[in-house]
Amino acid sequence: MLVNMAVNAIVLGSVYALFALGLTLVWGVLRILNMAHGAIFMWGAMFGLFLANTLSLPLLGLLPLVMLCCGVLAVVIELIAFRPLRRPNVSEEDTELATLISSIGASIILVSAAEKLTRADILRLPASVFTVVPMEFGPILITSLDALMFAIAVGLSALVSFVLRNTKQGKALRAVAYNHRVALLLGINVDRLTTLTFFASGALAGAAGVLLALALSSVYYLMGEALLVKAFAIIILGGVGSIPGALVGGIVLAFSEVATVTFLSTRLRDAVAFGLIVVILLVRPTGLFGTRQARSL
Amino acid sequence: MLDILSPYATIASFALINMLLAASMQVALSSGVFSVATVGFMAIGAYVSTLLTQRLDAPFGLALLGGILAALASTVFLIYPVQRLRGLHLAISTVAFVLVLQVAVRNLPDLTGGANGLYGIPVRTELWQLLVSAAVLGLLLQSMRSSRTGRALRAMREDDTVAAATGVDIGRYRNLAFLLSAAIGGLAGAFSAHLLNVISPDVFGFERIVQVLSMVVLGGMGSWSGAYLGAAVLTLLPEVLRPLADWRDIANGAILILVVIYLPGGLASVGARVAQRLRRPARQQPVPLGDLDDAQPRSARSAVHAAPER
């Protein structure tokens, strides 16, 4: 039983991490806390539902399309709601607050649009998208969906990590994260990189949206909100901007949640993420993998 | 005559409570403390004051005081993170504070009625009490603006390193900003519980954070009057936008985005801007003193851009 619990936690945690990855990327590189990330994730599930119904594609055909749609959605949000706020003569903290508010506005719009479209119903992806086959490895029982989710989540994280480390774009991105203004002086096209970062973060959120919609067999207009708070916990746990941090944070959070449900009470499940945030911020505000020091006086 | 006014009295009461809430958040934000803990203080004020009136039959004045004191006491959990954290990290830790409280309230059914909340709270809040509170608070905050404390708090928001260098005890003033925010939030919570006669954990969550934050941003974070204005507008807006019915949320979201982009100082800054425009028509705006350090890289960059054209 314990082994299966652990396996479930790892699978769930890897999808949490996939969601948190886009958020941590945007926060770490651009210092934007994008509260619309949950809404983009939810729209991933919506796009998935729409595309699956109209084109009747299998999951592996559906996933790239949804990622494309969500990537574009994220870029559009950046263009409309965030780019006008990057003014040269405004202090960093004022810009942080302004983009935060603007992203809340974007989130409200996206969520209520989805509410109208679905009439606040809980919908499901058609069964044709993916056939779940139970698999058995010794004492471990998992489904083919679990295995695929884990593989996709880890694969995409590895891809992002590779791009950041080994390509010129990745190097430029790390320069922007280190210091926006210096990167600009070095001739890095910050606007284009911002667009790229947002596209990647939206695509990752979209992938997570389709996968979780399948795993929970529901598509609901509020599905992004709870996940957003979990992602905060994951990012703070792993360290802002850290990719291995997001993976480890996601799995630690999932483990704590599964353990809380098993050993304590189902009702306390939601408190786990918040409790984790408070403890980490008190003990080690930079997170497990964080490098940037929290500013101290 | 009061009967005719009663439907307006209800909406006015809501507006006044929201004004107190917005002021509570604005006090923190305008001191550079990125805190949304107001909603948590509100919850504490609401529950503690309700327990006092409902279980102990305490007079309303005492219940209000109890709510305020309990909210003040709860800042113990925030004082330490405040000193270590800045910006977004602080914001998230205060979001966590609010949500942990919400879960705690849900899981203490004996004390708080759990997820169902508490019913049948005696209705004690009256319009005049709210009016007096809002007016007194406004006067207090106004007189604080030009005091040593008010200047220290504003200096902290501009740049806490500079503020510290000029002798502002950052730690103490940050705590002060929190305590002020807590007292106002606790009072607003106690009033709202005894106005609505029912409270439940659902109304003290993330949505409320967004609502109060929107009010402050819409009105303008710079001053208490901006917060009051934003709260009044956003309370009345749903009534005004009633013809839009289904599109109200979308309109709300769009308003938020448009305000932060085109009106960074909030509604409160409109008057000042118009006055400035009238005084100096068609002249370039001078660079404000605070921007001098940024002016240099900007001109350097424009020189780079200008070079090929020459």
Side-chain angles (χ1 to χ4, degrees), chain B residues 244-269:
Chain B
L244 279 174
D246 292 350
W247 303 96
R248 213 158 57 188
D249 285 340
I250 293 184
N252 256 339
I255 288 173
L256 271 190
I257 297 179
L258 292 175
V259 166
V260 290
I261 293 177
Y262 296 107
L263 209 60
L267 289 178
S269 70

PDB file of all heavy atoms in Angstrom, chain B residues 244-269:
ATOM      1  N   LEU B 244     -25.164  45.321 -17.533  1.00  0.00           N
ATOM      2  CA  LEU B 244     -24.168  44.443 -18.149  1.00  0.00           C
ATOM      3  C   LEU B 244     -24.258  43.011 -17.617  1.00  0.00           C
ATOM      4  O   LEU B 244     -23.694  42.094 -18.194  1.00  0.00           O
ATOM      5  CB  LEU B 244     -22.756  44.975 -17.878  1.00  0.00           C
ATOM      6  CG  LEU B 244     -22.280  46.110 -18.779  1.00  0.00           C
ATOM      7  CD1 LEU B 244     -20.937  46.624 -18.303  1.00  0.00           C
ATOM      8  CD2 LEU B 244     -22.147  45.616 -20.214  1.00  0.00           C
ATOM      9  N   ALA B 245     -24.932  42.873 -16.472  1.00  0.00           N
ATOM     10  CA  ALA B 245     -25.160  41.596 -15.799  1.00  0.00           C
ATOM     11  C   ALA B 245     -24.056  40.570 -16.013  1.00  0.00           C
ATOM     12  O   ALA B 245     -23.078  40.532 -15.284  1.00  0.00           O
ATOM     13  CB  ALA B 245     -26.519  41.039 -16.197  1.00  0.00           C
ATOM     14  N   ASP B 246     -24.196  39.754 -17.071  1.00  0.00           N
ATOM     15  CA  ASP B 246     -23.300  38.622 -17.271  1.00  0.00           C
ATOM     16  C   ASP B 246     -21.860  39.030 -17.538  1.00  0.00           C
ATOM     17  O   ASP B 246     -20.945  38.246 -17.343  1.00  0.00           O
ATOM     18  CB  ASP B 246     -23.785  37.784 -18.460  1.00  0.00           C
ATOM     19  CG  ASP B 246     -25.074  37.103 -18.133  1.00  0.00           C
ATOM     20  OD1 ASP B 246     -25.456  37.129 -16.952  1.00  0.00           O
ATOM     21  OD2 ASP B 246     -25.705  36.553 -19.055  1.00  0.00           O
ATOM     22  N   TRP B 247     -21.677  40.228 -18.005  1.00  0.00           N
ATOM     23  CA  TRP B 247     -20.332  40.638 -18.399  1.00  0.00           C
ATOM     24  C   TRP B 247     -19.625  41.409 -17.310  1.00  0.00           C
ATOM     25  O   TRP B 247     -18.557  41.960 -17.520  1.00  0.00           O
ATOM     26  CB  TRP B 247     -20.400  41.458 -19.695  1.00  0.00           C
ATOM     27  CG  TRP B 247     -21.049  40.676 -20.770  1.00  0.00           C
ATOM     28  CD1 TRP B 247     -22.350  40.714 -21.137  1.00  0.00           C
ATOM     29  CD2 TRP B 247     -20.427  39.674 -21.579  1.00  0.00           C
ATOM     30  NE1 TRP B 247     -22.577  39.798 -22.131  1.00  0.00           N
ATOM     31  CE2 TRP B 247     -21.421  39.152 -22.424  1.00  0.00           C
ATOM     32  CE3 TRP B 247     -19.121  39.181 -21.663  1.00  0.00           C
ATOM     33  CZ2 TRP B 247     -21.148  38.149 -23.347  1.00  0.00           C
ATOM     34  CZ3 TRP B 247     -18.853  38.188 -22.571  1.00  0.00           C
ATOM     35  CH2 TRP B 247     -19.872  37.670 -23.404  1.00  0.00           C
ATOM     36  N   ARG B 248     -20.250  41.442 -16.127  1.00  0.00           N
ATOM     37  CA  ARG B 248     -19.727  42.255 -15.049  1.00  0.00           C
ATOM     38  C   ARG B 248     -18.305  41.845 -14.657  1.00  0.00           C
ATOM     39  O   ARG B 248     -17.426  42.682 -14.513  1.00  0.00           O
ATOM     40  CB  ARG B 248     -20.656  42.150 -13.853  1.00  0.00           C
ATOM     41  CG  ARG B 248     -20.725  43.394 -13.065  1.00  0.00           C
ATOM     42  CD  ARG B 248     -21.977  43.444 -12.262  1.00  0.00           C
ATOM     43  NE  ARG B 248     -22.067  42.280 -11.391  1.00  0.00           N
ATOM     44  CZ  ARG B 248     -23.139  41.982 -10.672  1.00  0.00           C
ATOM     45  NH1 ARG B 248     -24.216  42.722 -10.767  1.00  0.00           N
ATOM     46  NH2 ARG B 248     -23.150  40.938  -9.903  1.00  0.00           N
ATOM     47  N   ASP B 249     -18.085  40.540 -14.500  1.00  0.00           N
ATOM     48  CA  ASP B 249     -16.755  40.072 -14.082  1.00  0.00           C
ATOM     49  C   ASP B 249     -15.702  40.444 -15.107  1.00  0.00           C
ATOM     50  O   ASP B 249     -14.612  40.891 -14.774  1.00  0.00           O
ATOM     51  CB  ASP B 249     -16.764  38.552 -13.910  1.00  0.00           C
ATOM     52  CG  ASP B 249     -17.472  38.159 -12.634  1.00  0.00           C
ATOM     53  OD1 ASP B 249     -17.595  39.021 -11.756  1.00  0.00           O
ATOM     54  OD2 ASP B 249     -17.921  37.011 -12.547  1.00  0.00           O
ATOM     55  N   ILE B 250     -16.077  40.232 -16.372  1.00  0.00           N
ATOM     56  CA  ILE B 250     -15.120  40.536 -17.433  1.00  0.00           C
ATOM     57  C   ILE B 250     -14.802  42.028 -17.437  1.00  0.00           C
ATOM     58  O   ILE B 250     -13.646  42.431 -17.559  1.00  0.00           O
ATOM     59  CB  ILE B 250     -15.674  40.060 -18.794  1.00  0.00           C
ATOM     60  CG1 ILE B 250     -15.739  38.529 -18.771  1.00  0.00           C
ATOM     61  CG2 ILE B 250     -14.809  40.562 -19.940  1.00  0.00           C
ATOM     62  CD1 ILE B 250     -16.164  37.880 -20.048  1.00  0.00           C
ATOM     63  N   ALA B 251     -15.847  42.845 -17.242  1.00  0.00           N
ATOM     64  CA  ALA B 251     -15.621  44.289 -17.176  1.00  0.00           C
ATOM     65  C   ALA B 251     -14.713  44.630 -16.004  1.00  0.00           C
ATOM     66  O   ALA B 251     -13.793  45.441 -16.127  1.00  0.00           O
ATOM     67  CB  ALA B 251     -16.961  45.016 -17.040  1.00  0.00           C
ATOM     68  N   ASN B 252     -14.929  43.970 -14.856  1.00  0.00           N
ATOM     69  CA  ASN B 252     -14.087  44.197 -13.681  1.00  0.00           C
ATOM     70  C   ASN B 252     -12.624  43.909 -13.973  1.00  0.00           C
ATOM     71  O   ASN B 252     -11.744  44.700 -13.636  1.00  0.00           O
ATOM     72  CB  ASN B 252     -14.534  43.269 -12.549  1.00  0.00           C
ATOM     73  CG  ASN B 252     -15.315  44.014 -11.498  1.00  0.00           C
ATOM     74  OD1 ASN B 252     -15.208  45.224 -11.405  1.00  0.00           O
ATOM     75  ND2 ASN B 252     -16.099  43.299 -10.727  1.00  0.00           N
ATOM     76  N   GLY B 253     -12.382  42.764 -14.610  1.00  0.00           N
ATOM     77  CA  GLY B 253     -11.011  42.380 -14.944  1.00  0.00           C
ATOM     78  C   GLY B 253     -10.378  43.392 -15.880  1.00  0.00           C
ATOM     79  O   GLY B 253      -9.234  43.813 -15.692  1.00  0.00           O
ATOM     80  N   ALA B 254     -11.145  43.811 -16.889  1.00  0.00           N
ATOM     81  CA  ALA B 254     -10.625  44.762 -17.866  1.00  0.00           C
ATOM     82  C   ALA B 254     -10.315  46.094 -17.191  1.00  0.00           C
ATOM     83  O   ALA B 254      -9.286  46.723 -17.478  1.00  0.00           O
ATOM     84  CB  ALA B 254     -11.632  44.955 -18.991  1.00  0.00           C
ATOM     85  N   ILE B 255     -11.176  46.501 -16.254  1.00  0.00           N
ATOM     86  CA  ILE B 255     -10.940  47.766 -15.559  1.00  0.00           C
ATOM     87  C   ILE B 255      -9.621  47.711 -14.801  1.00  0.00           C
ATOM     88  O   ILE B 255      -8.811  48.648 -14.841  1.00  0.00           O
ATOM     89  CB  ILE B 255     -12.110  48.085 -14.594  1.00  0.00           C
ATOM     90  CG1 ILE B 255     -13.350  48.478 -15.404  1.00  0.00           C
ATOM     91  CG2 ILE B 255     -11.735  49.192 -13.619  1.00  0.00           C
ATOM     92  CD1 ILE B 255     -14.599  48.650 -14.581  1.00  0.00           C
ATOM     93  N   LEU B 256      -9.377  46.570 -14.123  1.00  0.00           N
ATOM     94  CA  LEU B 256      -8.120  46.421 -13.379  1.00  0.00           C
ATOM     95  C   LEU B 256      -6.915  46.626 -14.289  1.00  0.00           C
ATOM     96  O   LEU B 256      -5.987  47.380 -13.973  1.00  0.00           O
ATOM     97  CB  LEU B 256      -8.028  45.023 -12.780  1.00  0.00           C
ATOM     98  CG  LEU B 256      -8.616  44.803 -11.397  1.00  0.00           C
ATOM     99  CD1 LEU B 256      -8.215  43.439 -10.882  1.00  0.00           C
ATOM    100  CD2 LEU B 256      -8.126  45.876 -10.465  1.00  0.00           C
ATOM    101  N   ILE B 257      -6.924  45.913 -15.436  1.00  0.00           N
ATOM    102  CA  ILE B 257      -5.782  46.001 -16.353  1.00  0.00           C
ATOM    103  C   ILE B 257      -5.623  47.427 -16.853  1.00  0.00           C
ATOM    104  O   ILE B 257      -4.528  47.991 -16.860  1.00  0.00           O
ATOM    105  CB  ILE B 257      -5.965  45.029 -17.541  1.00  0.00           C
ATOM    106  CG1 ILE B 257      -5.996  43.589 -17.023  1.00  0.00           C
ATOM    107  CG2 ILE B 257      -4.831  45.194 -18.549  1.00  0.00           C
ATOM    108  CD1 ILE B 257      -6.186  42.560 -18.109  1.00  0.00           C
ATOM    109  N   LEU B 258      -6.741  48.027 -17.276  1.00  0.00           N
ATOM    110  CA  LEU B 258      -6.663  49.374 -17.838  1.00  0.00           C
ATOM    111  C   LEU B 258      -6.161  50.381 -16.810  1.00  0.00           C
ATOM    112  O   LEU B 258      -5.358  51.264 -17.140  1.00  0.00           O
ATOM    113  CB  LEU B 258      -8.045  49.802 -18.371  1.00  0.00           C
ATOM    114  CG  LEU B 258      -8.505  49.007 -19.595  1.00  0.00           C
ATOM    115  CD1 LEU B 258      -9.921  49.393 -19.974  1.00  0.00           C
ATOM    116  CD2 LEU B 258      -7.546  49.245 -20.759  1.00  0.00           C
ATOM    117  N   VAL B 259      -6.610  50.242 -15.567  1.00  0.00           N
ATOM    118  CA  VAL B 259      -6.178  51.201 -14.552  1.00  0.00           C
ATOM    119  C   VAL B 259      -4.682  51.100 -14.310  1.00  0.00           C
ATOM    120  O   VAL B 259      -3.980  52.111 -14.295  1.00  0.00           O
ATOM    121  CB  VAL B 259      -6.957  51.004 -13.233  1.00  0.00           C
ATOM    122  CG1 VAL B 259      -6.277  51.745 -12.095  1.00  0.00           C
ATOM    123  CG2 VAL B 259      -8.374  51.503 -13.386  1.00  0.00           C
ATOM    124  N   VAL B 260      -4.147  49.861 -14.132  1.00  0.00           N
ATOM    125  CA  VAL B 260      -2.703  49.807 -13.836  1.00  0.00           C
ATOM    126  C   VAL B 260      -1.877  50.272 -15.020  1.00  0.00           C
ATOM    127  O   VAL B 260      -0.777  50.791 -14.857  1.00  0.00           O
ATOM    128  CB  VAL B 260      -2.189  48.418 -13.382  1.00  0.00           C
ATOM    129  CG1 VAL B 260      -2.709  48.087 -12.010  1.00  0.00           C
ATOM    130  CG2 VAL B 260      -2.512  47.342 -14.364  1.00  0.00           C
ATOM    131  N   ILE B 261      -2.396  50.111 -16.243  1.00  0.00           N
ATOM    132  CA  ILE B 261      -1.607  50.532 -17.395  1.00  0.00           C
ATOM    133  C   ILE B 261      -1.710  52.040 -17.624  1.00  0.00           C
ATOM    134  O   ILE B 261      -0.704  52.725 -17.765  1.00  0.00           O
ATOM    135  CB  ILE B 261      -2.049  49.778 -18.665  1.00  0.00           C
ATOM    136  CG1 ILE B 261      -1.698  48.302 -18.524  1.00  0.00           C
ATOM    137  CG2 ILE B 261      -1.345  50.353 -19.903  1.00  0.00           C
ATOM    138  CD1 ILE B 261      -2.152  47.445 -19.683  1.00  0.00           C
ATOM    139  N   TYR B 262      -2.933  52.535 -17.639  1.00  0.00           N
ATOM    140  CA  TYR B 262      -3.107  53.934 -18.050  1.00  0.00           C
ATOM    141  C   TYR B 262      -3.263  54.914 -16.900  1.00  0.00           C
ATOM    142  O   TYR B 262      -3.211  56.120 -17.103  1.00  0.00           O
ATOM    143  CB  TYR B 262      -4.315  54.045 -18.981  1.00  0.00           C
ATOM    144  CG  TYR B 262      -4.101  53.294 -20.253  1.00  0.00           C
ATOM    145  CD1 TYR B 262      -4.767  52.106 -20.508  1.00  0.00           C
ATOM    146  CD2 TYR B 262      -3.180  53.745 -21.202  1.00  0.00           C
ATOM    147  CE1 TYR B 262      -4.546  51.389 -21.668  1.00  0.00           C
ATOM    148  CE2 TYR B 262      -2.941  53.047 -22.352  1.00  0.00           C
ATOM    149  CZ  TYR B 262      -3.631  51.875 -22.589  1.00  0.00           C
ATOM    150  OH  TYR B 262      -3.388  51.169 -23.728  1.00  0.00           O
ATOM    151  N   LEU B 263      -3.496  54.396 -15.707  1.00  0.00           N
ATOM    152  CA  LEU B 263      -3.762  55.292 -14.587  1.00  0.00           C
ATOM    153  C   LEU B 263      -3.024  54.788 -13.351  1.00  0.00           C
ATOM    154  O   LEU B 263      -3.645  54.432 -12.352  1.00  0.00           O
ATOM    155  CB  LEU B 263      -5.282  55.302 -14.336  1.00  0.00           C
ATOM    156  CG  LEU B 263      -5.927  56.534 -13.746  1.00  0.00           C
ATOM    157  CD1 LEU B 263      -5.703  57.733 -14.639  1.00  0.00           C
ATOM    158  CD2 LEU B 263      -7.396  56.292 -13.530  1.00  0.00           C
ATOM    159  N   PRO B 264      -1.685  54.744 -13.417  1.00  0.00           N
ATOM    160  CA  PRO B 264      -0.927  54.095 -12.344  1.00  0.00           C
ATOM    161  C   PRO B 264      -1.200  54.703 -10.968  1.00  0.00           C
ATOM    162  O   PRO B 264      -1.053  54.025  -9.965  1.00  0.00           O
ATOM    163  CB  PRO B 264       0.532  54.301 -12.749  1.00  0.00           C
ATOM    164  CG  PRO B 264       0.507  54.703 -14.164  1.00  0.00           C
ATOM    165  CD  PRO B 264      -0.813  55.321 -14.439  1.00  0.00           C
ATOM    166  N   GLY B 265      -1.580  55.949 -10.911  1.00  0.00           N
ATOM    167  CA  GLY B 265      -1.853  56.567  -9.615  1.00  0.00           C
ATOM    168  C   GLY B 265      -3.279  56.352  -9.138  1.00  0.00           C
ATOM    169  O   GLY B 265      -3.670  56.873  -8.101  1.00  0.00           O
ATOM    170  N   GLY B 266      -4.070  55.602  -9.905  1.00  0.00           N
ATOM    171  CA  GLY B 266      -5.451  55.352  -9.513  1.00  0.00           C
ATOM    172  C   GLY B 266      -6.361  56.533  -9.789  1.00  0.00           C
ATOM    173  O   GLY B 266      -5.927  57.571 -10.282  1.00  0.00           O
ATOM    174  N   LEU B 267      -7.646  56.355  -9.451  1.00  0.00           N
ATOM    175  CA  LEU B 267      -8.630  57.407  -9.695  1.00  0.00           C
ATOM    176  C   LEU B 267      -8.264  58.692  -8.961  1.00  0.00           C
ATOM    177  O   LEU B 267      -8.512  59.789  -9.450  1.00  0.00           O
ATOM    178  CB  LEU B 267     -10.013  56.946  -9.237  1.00  0.00           C
ATOM    179  CG  LEU B 267     -10.688  55.861 -10.065  1.00  0.00           C
ATOM    180  CD1 LEU B 267     -12.018  55.480  -9.442  1.00  0.00           C
ATOM    181  CD2 LEU B 267     -10.888  56.338 -11.499  1.00  0.00           C
ATOM    182  N   ALA B 268      -7.653  58.527  -7.773  1.00  0.00           N
ATOM    183  CA  ALA B 268      -7.331  59.709  -6.971  1.00  0.00           C
ATOM    184  C   ALA B 268      -6.379  60.645  -7.706  1.00  0.00           C
ATOM    185  O   ALA B 268      -6.328  61.830  -7.416  1.00  0.00           O
ATOM    186  CB  ALA B 268      -6.723  59.281  -5.637  1.00  0.00           C
ATOM    187  N   SER B 269      -5.600  60.095  -8.655  1.00  0.00           N
ATOM    188  CA  SER B 269      -4.621  60.933  -9.338  1.00  0.00           C
ATOM    189  C   SER B 269      -5.240  61.710 -10.501  1.00  0.00           C
ATOM    190  O   SER B 269      -4.601  62.592 -11.061  1.00  0.00           O
ATOM    191  CB  SER B 269      -3.466  60.078  -9.854  1.00  0.00           C
ATOM    192  OG  SER B 269      -3.912  59.273 -10.926  1.00  0.00           O
TER     193      SER B 269
END
